Amino acid sequence: MRRTLAALLAALPLLSAACRFDQGHFTMLSDFPVQAVDLPEDEIDRLPYVEASDIVPFIVVLPIGERPSVERALQNALLGTNGDVLVDVTVEKEWFWIPFVYGWQGYHIRGKPVKVLHAPDRPRTRRSRLLQEHR
Amino acid sequence: MLVLGAMLAGCRTTEMQLSLVVPATVDLSRVSLDRIGEGVTVEGEDAASFVLLLPLNVLNMEDAIQDAIGGRDDVVLVDVVIERVFWWTVLYGEARLELRGVMVPLPGAPGVEGTP
């Protein structure tokens, strides 16, 4: 019995699967309204890319915490940068699963952080509100 | 069939909730939105089915966006929500990305149908 259990446990990693697939390419993604980009395009070309993910683990099939979202991956990518939005953005979905035991899934985002002119007359979303409260 | 019905699972989750999505077909130099928010509500989707656990195709957000804007290269989407709808019965399942947002024409672009 113990041997069978041990064999099953040893076989679990062999059943694991992982993959990352494309969710699309975007010229710009923003979690608050934008009036205009604040940089000439040739300067944007020289900006470095940043990357970040929003990953949520799950046990059996139940996620631990909130579902992953593109919005949070975007906010994670912008943290620590001077940018407000991402331009030239690639979004990918990634997941890993040991069937019916454990896994994780989430969104991976890559883009260039850019400052923009804000539209003051529209409500801002979570990240902007958090940043305002922080300041 | 009863057993399969008992094993039916489904859910709806929000995958993306953003204020502005500029599709890849739009040039960045055109993004100057003085009158942001004036547009028309649009919907789009991308669907996939799977047998057992194997997907027959992969859901793609960009496809849902292109479906919503009809392939135009002179509009952006504001107040965009993309939800994943999913159901599964062990043998067969379907998943769908459903997009809802407001399509706003860029300066110089012809207005969208329904725009005031």
Side-chain angles (χ1 to χ4, degrees), chain A residues 21-35 41 44 67 69-71 74 93 107 122 125, chain B residues 13 15 17-24 26-29 32-33 36 58-62 65 79 84:
Chain A
F21 43 90
D22 185 37
Q23 286 293 291
H25 185 79
F26 307 93
T27 297
M28 183 193 293
L29 292 182
S30 171
D31 65 344
F32 67 93
V34 171
Q35 272 188 325
E41 244 180 301
I44 291 172
R67 292 267 312 170
S69 75
V70 175
E71 185 187 348
L74 172 73
K93 178 142 193 172
Y107 287 102
R122 287 177 54 90
T125 50
Chain B
T13 55
E15 303 289 310
Q17 197 164 3
L18 292 176
S19 294
L20 175 67
V21 173
V22 181
V26 176
D27 191 76
L28 186 60
S29 60
S32 179
L33 305 166
I36 195 165
V58 176
L59 291 177
N60 188 296
M61 289 182 174
E62 194 172 353
I65 287 168
D79 298 332
R84 181 182 298 265

Side-chain angles (χ1 to χ4, degrees), chain B residues 8 24 41 114:
Chain B
L8 178 70
T41 301

Side-chain angles (χ1 to χ4, degrees), chain A residues 75-95:
Chain A
Q75 291 161 357
N76 291 342
L78 290 170
L79 284 175
T81 74
N82 205 23
D84 299 312
V85 302
L86 284 186
V87 300
D88 194 11
V89 189
T90 305
V91 178
E92 293 174 312
K93 178 142 193 172
E94 53 190 6
W95 58 266

Side-chain angles (χ1 to χ4, degrees), chain B residues 3-75:
Chain B
V3 173
L4 277 181
M7 297 175 89
L8 178 70
C11 64
R12 175 184 286 265
T13 55
T14 302
E15 303 289 310
M16 173 162 127
Q17 197 164 3
L18 292 176
S19 294
L20 175 67
V21 173
V22 181
T25 47
V26 176
D27 191 76
L28 186 60
S29 60
R30 296 193 66 182
V31 183
S32 179
L33 305 166
D34 298 334
R35 298 169 65 202
I36 195 165
E38 289 187 24
V40 64
T41 301
V42 290
E43 293 179 352
E45 70 167 40
D46 188 33
S49 44
F50 44 98
V51 177
L52 296 175
L53 285 172
L54 302 173
L56 300 180
N57 57 319
V58 176
L59 291 177
N60 188 296
M61 289 182 174
E62 194 172 353
D63 290 344
I65 287 168
Q66 289 302 323
D67 183 45
I69 65 175
R72 288 183 65 167
D73 63 357
D74 53 4
V75 293

Side-chain angles (χ1 to χ4, degrees), chain A residues 34-111:
Chain A
V34 171
Q35 272 188 325
V37 177
D38 209 9
L39 276 176
E41 244 180 301
D42 57 336
E43 279 189 47
I44 291 172
D45 288 342
R46 288 197 293 272
L47 288 173
Y49 283 95
V50 294
E51 297 184 43
S53 297
D54 181 38
I55 300 288
V56 174
F58 54 94
I59 293 174
V60 188
V61 292
L62 302 172
I64 310 299
E66 278 187 89
R67 292 267 312 170
S69 75
V70 175
E71 185 187 348
R72 276 196 302 276
L74 172 73
Q75 291 161 357
N76 291 342
L78 290 170
L79 284 175
T81 74
N82 205 23
D84 299 312
V85 302
L86 284 186
V87 300
D88 194 11
V89 189
T90 305
V91 178
E92 293 174 312
K93 178 142 193 172
E94 53 190 6
W95 58 266
F96 166 79
W97 194 39
I98 300 173
F100 302 108
V101 178
Y102 172 79
W104 51 258
Q105 63 171 316
Y107 287 102
H108 181 84
I109 198 166
R110 180 176 191 267

